[in-house]
């Protein structure tokens, strides 16, 4: 282990996008039994860039939702490169509602370059679909665990990541937008992406340090056993809370993400008229 | 110091800031659309609508507040929250200081309580002049606190949005403000609160994809650009020019994403009407 080379943030971006990495269906195969995919948003169509359904985890029914990317060009076109349209977010919300109704925990796998920026997606209310997914996930009355398994980019990633417990694989990235997009906005030059990665703070270690994620999962041979162990521990821990306690704790967890992690009293000490 | 004293002090500060800004600005301003020049006083008297072509100029938060609130009724909250620059982002601190000096605000959101035709409300206004109205930790925290305050005091919540989306300089902290604000307004609404979300030009990205799209009633100003991904990003992705009026308020109304388009002239009376109907 000591000789393992540390990847730079930009190398992690490239790792996160590698098509040879496990995809959502491999995670489902390795970690759950008897997965049954459930399709469609009941409004317009089935967005295949999101997979959702029910499976057994150590014998317990759970709802699994995640982004799907292709392994080759043909598949990538079929799954729209993992870029989700409003219909995909609405399918996710439908499955979350179903999970809550029947008391099933929700496990999500996040791996997306972002929500789809397209004509039809905009016409069908992309903003609204993402906002509804974030809001719904924030108040679900069942345990929720999210794992960033590749690139978690922008609101499209957050829509599946407002969870009680948020984990990242050690070499993956979670960011406000792609480093290329960041560089082109900031410096009008997408080629400066590697430089952008250094200042964006998008690696698992940095985000854990900020308190924005709860834990890091090792990759390589240990990946699946570690995920299995983590899910089991987290679902056992979270399963002890009532539905309303889960929602209240989750609200407080995200409420604290105020950027004052090292100086928590900076605002509270100031004169103000609220309260 | 009593709360009243704080109010007075604060009001004095705001008035002096407005005066300074008036002195600094040239007496004239130019319409970005037709380039017509007018005195600021005349444009203000016309609610910042171009008298030549009807274009809606962007408004500073205090101008908006003066337009919709009963005179002298606004009391600001949390006006001194300043970003802790959580990523230690190059030059960000300097930029914030410069904007503070130019606008008198510490960030892109002004919030407080006021009355609209006598009805007490919690009101917030995003400022597109301040780093594109982007939502960082300060904007997110102030929206959350305003919403929680409205919930505790059983007040209606009104937020005027104008934003380019996420605050790049605050990285993933900025993304998390989408979760914070969406969760806060969702909870507020579940507890019976009325949230009127008013979208002005432009409302995009992380703001349109969080609290701003969650109004019980969503209103917009005519012709305002409202979208998740901006026209430039879409053009780059799909490689074709966009249809006329795409992503403007009228387009969103047609596609079922807005309740109504409200002209600036009718803004205050529309808000009053909706507030009166929801009085408990
Ligand atoms: Zn004009």
């Amino acid at each position: 282990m000591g000789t393992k080379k540390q990847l730079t943030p930009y190398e992690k971006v490239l790792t996160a996008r590698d098509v040879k990495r496990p995809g959502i269906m491999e995670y489902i195969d390795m970690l759950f039994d008897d997965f049954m995919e459930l399709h469609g948003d009941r409004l317009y169509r089935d967005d295949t860039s999101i997979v959702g359904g029910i499976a057994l985890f150590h014998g317990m029914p759970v709802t699994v939702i995640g982004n799907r990317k292709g392994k080759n060009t043909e598949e990538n076109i079929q799954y729209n490169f993992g870029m989700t349209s409003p219909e995909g977010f609405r399918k996710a919300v439908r499955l979350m509602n179903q999970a809550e109704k029947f008391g099933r925990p929700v496990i999500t796998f996040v791996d997306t370059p972002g929500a789809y920026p397209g004509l039809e997606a905009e016409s069908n209310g992309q903003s609204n679909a993402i906002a509804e997914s974030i809001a719904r996930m924030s108040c679900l009355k069942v345990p929720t665990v999210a794992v960033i398994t590749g690139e978690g980019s922008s609101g499209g990633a957050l829509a599946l990541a407002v969870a009680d417990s948020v984990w990242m694989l050690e070499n993956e990235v979670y960011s406000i937008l792609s480093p290329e997009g960041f560089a082109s906005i900031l410096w009008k030059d997408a080629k400066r992406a590697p430089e952008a990665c250094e200042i964006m703070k998008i690696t698992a270690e940095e985000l854990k340090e900020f308190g924005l994620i709860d834990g890091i999962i090792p990759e390589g041979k240990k990946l699946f056993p570690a995920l299995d162990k983590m899910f089991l521990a987290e679902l056992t821990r979270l399963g002890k809370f009532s539905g309303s306690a889960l929602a209240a704790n989750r609200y407080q967890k995200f409420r604290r993400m105020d950027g004052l992690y090292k100086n928590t009293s900076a605002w509270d000490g100031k004169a103000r008229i609220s309260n | 110091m009593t709360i009243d004293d704080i109010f007075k002090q604060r009001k004095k500060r705001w008035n002096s800031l407005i005066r300074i800004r008036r002195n600094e600005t040239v007496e004239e301003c130019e319409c970005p659309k037709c380039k017509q020049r007018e005195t600021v006083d005349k444009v203000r008297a016309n609610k910042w609508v171009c008298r030549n072509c009807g274009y809606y100029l962007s408004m500073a938060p205090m101008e908006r507040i003066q337009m919709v609130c009963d005179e002298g009724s606004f009391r600001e909250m949390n006006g001194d929250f300043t970003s802790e620059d959580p990523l230690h982002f190059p030059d960000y601190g300097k930029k914030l200081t410069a904007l503070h000096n130019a606008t008198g605000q510490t960030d892109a959101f002004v919030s407080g309580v006021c009355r609209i035709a006598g009805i007490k409300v919690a009101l917030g206004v995003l400022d597109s002049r301040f780093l594109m109205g982007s939502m960082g930790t300060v904007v997110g925290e102030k929206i959350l606190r305003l919403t929680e305050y409205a919930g505790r005091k059983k007040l209606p919540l009104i937020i005027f949005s104008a934003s380019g989306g996420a605050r790049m300089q605050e990285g993933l902290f900025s993304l998390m403000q989408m979760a914070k604000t969406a969760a806060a307004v969702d909870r507020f609404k579940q507890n019976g609160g009325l949230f009127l979300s008013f979208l002005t030009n432009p409302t995009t990205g992380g703001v349109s994809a969080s609290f701003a799209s969650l109004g019980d009633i969503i209103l917009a100003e005519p012709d305002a650009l409202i979208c998740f991904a901006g026209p430039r990003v879409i053009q780059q992705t799909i490689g074709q020019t966009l249809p006329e009026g795409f992503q403007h308020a009228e387009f969103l109304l047609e596609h079922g994403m807005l309740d109504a388009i409200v002209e600036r002239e009718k803004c205050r009376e529309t808000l009053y009407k909706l507030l009166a109907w929801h009085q408990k």
Side-chain angles (χ1 to χ4, degrees), chain B residues 104-142:
Chain B
Q105 295 160 206
T106 58
D107 214 296
F109 189 70
V110 176
S111 59
V113 287
C114 68
R115 289 185 185 272
I116 295 178
I119 301 175
K120 201 172 176 192
V121 298
L123 175 75
V125 185
L126 270 159
D127 187 355
S128 64
R129 308 164 311 159
F130 199 109
L131 291 174
M132 279 302 293
S134 55
M135 179 159 68
T137 49
V138 169
V139 172
E141 184 73 13
K142 285 174 81 168

Side-chain angles (χ1 to χ4, degrees), chain A residues 122 127 251 255 260 272, chain B residues 78 84 148 177 180 208 229:
Chain A
E122 290 288 326
S127 288
Y251 182 85
R255 192 187 186 285
L260 300 181
R272 82 174 72 96
Chain B
N78 306 324
E84 294 286 306
E148 289 184 347
Q177 308 313 306
K180 267 172 73 172
S208 81

